[in-house]
Amino acid sequence: MKTKVLKVDEDNIDREIIKQASEIIKNGGLVSFPTETVYGLGANGLDSDATSKIFEAKGRPQDNPLILHISSEDELKELVREISDDARKCMDAFWPGPLTIIFNRSEIVPDSVTAGLDTVAIRMPSNKIALEIIRESKKPIAAPSANTSGKPSPTAAEHVYKDLDGKLELIVDGGRTGIGLESTVIDLTEDVPTILRPGGVTYEDLSKVLGRVEIDKSIINFTENIVPKSPGQKYKHYAPNSEMYIFKGEFKSVVDRINEIAIEKTQNGKKVGIMCTDESLDKYKAGLIYSMGSREDEDSIAHNLFHILREMDRENVDIILSESVDFSEMGLAIMNRMIKAAGGKIEQL
Ligand code: TXA
Ligand code: MG
């Protein structure tokens, strides 16, 4: 299959391209489109044959359910059994936006979307291109991140092309995504609202709206073997090709330790990649040095994280050494992705 790439400006949307994209969706094909978080790989969410193509294209395990994307609240009713008070509060506060809510599913949601679970994940993105494609398709769009399973999620159309060229009909290129990490996933089907995946809507944001909120233990405890409640969280994820190590502790100790390893590895002929922050950019003495963003603005770090992991692959580095951030606010989502990318290799200094 030949994969087409068409550019669309979010502030001046070309209706012809939206129509092309939704024709493909209606005909059971695959289209990648930008959302405010990462690029999605979309198919008609009510058509099992179409959604099975998503699993095939990504090499995604069959037991990992998909998120349904909607463009208005009217589209929600037929997909869920009820809308609880907590769900109503979350929708009012955070939709459209980077929050995926787990509801009890209705009969019309295919098993292929929920991986046989009795629940369904739903989100209303805020990206205007995404909203227009959903609206024009007149169907909920099932869309995981548009990467090969296990790789960092795509934050630019080039990333989608690199992973999936020939496996989908169209990539709608809307430029780099804003947030850069996938949506927060919150389960509202249990007694206490539980965050299954941290993201752009933070624990602190959700607590203000809902009161008591729990965080699934597997997100913050990576030393013990806890089975995550969200099927997707148990797989190796976001992994660059090379070994990655994270360093946590007092700023100067972290810089010194990374320098020590970078110098030694470089002397031994290895290509070292360093992931630092604006505040430490001029402190490193060896390696290929990338700033993820400013410690004063963790959103900038989230925005750049996956992009830099992919740059590291492009540069064919042998080892990646990364600074870390605190586990609060956006930092929780950043550290969750980083630790997975590093396969849990974090050194406390
Ligand atoms: O920002 C995002 O959410 C992006 C964009 C494209 O919308 N999508 C995305 O989809 O990240 P995906 O498939 O890569 O991640 C969906 C996550 C997985 O961890 C999956 O296991 C979880 O949501 N999930 C889906 N349905 C679920 C359910 N019924 N119960 C628990 N977790 C569920
Ligand atoms: Mg994904």
Side-chain angles (χ1 to χ4, degrees), residues 35 37-40 60 64-67 69 100 102 117 119-121 123 143-145 182-183 185 196-197 229-233:
T35 79
T37 58
V38 300
Y39 275 74
R60 183 179 176 100
N64 192 3
L66 304 172
I67 297 172
H69 295 67
T100 296
I102 310 286
L117 296 174
T119 54
V120 59
R123 125 168 161 87
S145 49
E182 308 85 345
S183 62
V185 178
L196 305 185
R197 178 176 74 182
K229 259 204 79 188
S230 187
Q233 292 283 316

Side-chain angles (χ1 to χ4, degrees), residues 77-340:
K77 293 186 199 85
E78 63 165 5
L79 304 173
V80 302
R81 283 212 288 281
E82 76 272 300
I83 300 172
S84 65
D85 290 347
D86 280 349
R88 170 55 52 206
K89 286 184 201 160
C90 283
M91 288 155 58
D92 289 347
F94 305 114
W95 277 8
L99 181 72
T100 296
I101 303 175
I102 310 286
F103 293 89
N104 287 311
R105 66 184 270 203
S106 76
E107 295 297 313
I108 71 160
V109 180
D111 278 346
S112 55
V113 166
T114 66
L117 296 174
D118 205 27
T119 54
V120 59
I122 302 185
R123 125 168 161 87
M124 190 193 295
S126 64
N127 180 291
K128 295 194 195 86
I129 302 169
L131 287 172
E132 285 304 316
I133 295 174
I134 302 163
R135 209 165 281 146
E136 186 72 30
S137 304
K138 300 190 172 59
K139 293 279 179 269
I141 296 187
S145 49
N147 51 288
T148 299
S149 242
K151 288 276 124 201
S153 295
T155 54
E158 301 85 80
H159 302 161
V160 181
Y161 192 79
K162 174 145 200 314
D163 278 15
L164 301 177
D165 178 28
K167 297 179 175 171
L168 74 170
E169 285 169 67
L170 173 63
I171 300 170
V172 178
D173 179 355
R176 271 187 73 175
T177 61
I179 296 173
L181 299 181
E182 308 85 345
S183 62
T184 303
V185 178
I186 189 160
D187 187 353
L188 298 181
T189 67
E190 304 279 355
D191 292 343
V192 182
T194 306
I195 295 174
L196 305 185
R197 178 176 74 182
V201 175
T202 65
Y203 166 79
E204 290 81 356
D205 296 332
L206 286 160
S207 299
K208 268 182 222 141
V209 170
L210 294 174
R212 185 165 166 217
V213 175
E214 283 184 357
I215 303 177
D216 189 48
K217 290 189 185 60
S218 67
I219 291 172
I220 27 185
N221 190 335
F222 24 82
T223 47
E224 289 168 48
N225 235 346
I226 296 171
V227 178
K229 259 204 79 188
S230 187
Q233 292 283 316
K234 70 173 180 263
Y235 297 106
K236 187 172 166 162
H237 246 94
Y238 318 118
N241 293 331
S242 50
E243 291 287 295
M244 173 168 166
Y245 297 83
I246 303 168
F247 299 86
K248 191 149 178 50
E250 196 248 319
F251 184 70
K252 185 166 181 310
S253 321
V254 168
V255 171
D256 289 349
R257 179 78 175 124
I258 292 180
N259 260 325
E260 180 191 1
I261 302 173
I263 291 167
E264 188 216 303
K265 295 280 177 194
T266 306
Q267 278 166 355
N268 290 335
K270 299 279 184 221
K271 191 166 180 184
V272 178
I274 295 177
M275 292 171 45
C276 67
T277 45
D278 293 352
E279 289 77 5
S280 59
L281 191 54
D282 62 355
K283 301 210 164 17
Y284 291 103
K285 302 190 172 72
L288 207 59
I289 304 159
Y290 289 91
S291 173
M292 297 180 278
S294 169
R295 291 184 173 276
E296 300 293 310
D297 171 20
E298 286 188 349
D299 289 355
S300 68
I301 298 180
H303 175 74
N304 289 317
L305 179 64
F306 287 150
H307 193 81
I308 293 177
L309 286 174
R310 286 196 176 249
E311 282 299 298
M312 293 291 183
D313 278 355
R314 216 170 51 80
E315 291 283 352
N316 272 314
V317 301
D318 298 303
I319 181 170
I320 301 171
L321 308 172
S322 181
E323 292 180 10
S324 51
V325 295
D326 287 338
F327 287 87
S328 55
E329 306 274 352
M330 199 58 171
L332 184 65
I334 294 169
M335 290 308 292
N336 169 261
R337 307 309 193 276
M338 257 196 204
I339 288 166
K340 278 174 186 282

